[in-house]
Amino acid sequence: MKSSPEHFQKWVRTFHPAPGATVRLVCLPHAGGSASFFFPLARAFGADVEVMAVQYPGRQDRRHEPAIDSVGAYADEIFAVLRHLDDRPLALFGHSMGAVLGYEVALRLARAGLPAPARLFVSGRRAPSRHRDESVHRSPDAQIVAELRRLGGPHQGMLADPEVLALVLPAIRSDYRAIEQYRHDPAERLDCPVTVLVGDDDPRVTVDEARAWAQHTTGPAELKVFPGGHFYLVERAAAVIDLLARRLSTVQARTRG
């Protein structure tokens, strides 16, 4: 699958281009999320790290496109877009559903014989091997809204606006269908470093479920637990950015060396 410049621009947002950066960080949003969720992260890194964020179809400026309801289809599209970013080391950061997408994109890089990510950051998501039977995507709209309220985070303002809800709920439902129907292949493992981030009060993932990500790579794995719930990274943004910067600085040091 090839990716034209137009296709790349459709899928990727670069809020603060950093052509002189020695490492690139590609961010993958949560279910129902959009690239703009990572705007503060891009601003925080400035010229040191080029931060890119994936924009899924069915939301914001892609709201007129049909949403995707399969992790495999998502990962195929994102892989096709990212596989040619080979001019500098690539790291992936995914939150919630985005963590699984980052994992699947990394697997696709390995299958294609391409360099592994310099590091995979997985946030707010249990390991693929820690499956839970969930069916939020089959619920009435009101129950999906209740789930979003329970998780907190950036959705809260739009939940009170019926017109906005009508626009975003189809994409949210499709994302939930994608992640809830996802099943990993136990025969596949990564070989890159993995950093796992989780909130200590996340209703969607326990610390033990997050720790199990270590079983999905032959490379080094570490677990960082932050105070907070599913969207701990909003409240703990400074600490999360500091962690990312420290881990990416080792990649930058190897590049300069």
Side-chain angles (χ1 to χ4, degrees):
M1 185 183 297
K2 295 183 178 180
S3 178
S4 65
E6 294 77 15
H7 190 64
F8 182 88
Q9 292 170 9
K10 179 184 288 188
W11 278 88
V12 177
R13 303 290 175 270
T14 307
F15 299 114
H16 297 283
T22 53
V23 64
R24 180 178 284 120
L25 178 66
V26 174
C27 301
L28 301 114
H30 50 280
S34 58
S36 60
F37 179 72
F38 293 105
F39 181 84
L41 184 64
R43 182 174 54 192
F45 276 112
D48 294 333
V49 176
E50 184 164 61
V51 178
M52 296 180 169
V54 173
Q55 183 76 306
Y56 307 142
R59 65 216 71 201
Q60 291 189 338
D61 56 339
R62 300 189 68 186
R63 62 187 178 278
H64 298 302
E65 299 177 46
I68 293 176
D69 63 0
S70 160
V71 164
Y74 260 134
D76 287 344
E77 291 278 4
I78 297 166
F79 165 71
V81 170
L82 301 185
R83 65 175 300 169
H84 303 294
L85 296 180
D86 56 1
D87 58 324
R88 67 192 87 170
L90 172 71
L92 300 173
F93 179 96
H95 179 64
S96 197
M97 181 183 78
V100 174
L101 291 179
Y103 168 72
E104 286 290 332
V105 170
L107 288 176
R108 282 158 173 75
L109 290 170
R111 291 176 204 154
L114 297 171
R119 184 171 292 269
L120 172 64
F121 298 94
V122 290
S123 167
R125 181 68 193 181
R126 56 191 176 272
S129 54
R130 296 298 186 265
H131 174 71
R132 295 187 192 181
D133 286 323
E134 295 173 323
S135 57
V136 174
H137 72 277
R138 297 194 185 97
S139 302
D141 289 352
Q143 290 186 27
I144 294 179
V145 171
E147 170 70 7
L148 296 176
R149 287 201 174 101
R150 185 168 76 101
L151 295 179
H155 299 295
Q156 303 310 301
M158 71 181 184
L159 298 182
D161 188 327
E163 293 184 2
V164 174
L165 268 179
L167 292 174
V168 301
L169 274 176
I172 292 173
R173 186 183 296 276
S174 290
D175 285 354
Y176 269 95
R177 182 181 297 113
I179 195 60
E180 289 176 346
Q181 294 184 340
Y182 168 74
R183 301 293 183 272
H184 83 294
D185 182 348
E188 291 192 292
R189 297 178 77 189
L190 301 175
D191 63 358
C192 64
V194 175
T195 296
V196 186
L197 302 86
V198 67
D200 62 4
D201 193 30
D202 189 334
R204 279 291 175 184
V205 51
T206 67
V207 172
D208 284 342
E209 288 173 326
R211 185 178 290 112
W213 275 102
Q215 302 169 15
H216 293 270
T217 183
T218 60
E222 62 175 346
L223 173 68
K224 299 296 181 181
V225 182
F226 296 85
H230 191 63
F231 286 99
Y232 73 90
L233 71 172
V234 175
E235 299 171 355
R236 306 291 171 179
V240 171
I241 290 168
D242 178 68
L243 173 63
L244 297 182
R246 285 186 283 114
R247 295 298 175 267
L248 292 175
S249 68
T250 63
V251 179
Q252 293 170 313
R254 289 198 301 268
T255 302
R256 297 188 184 104

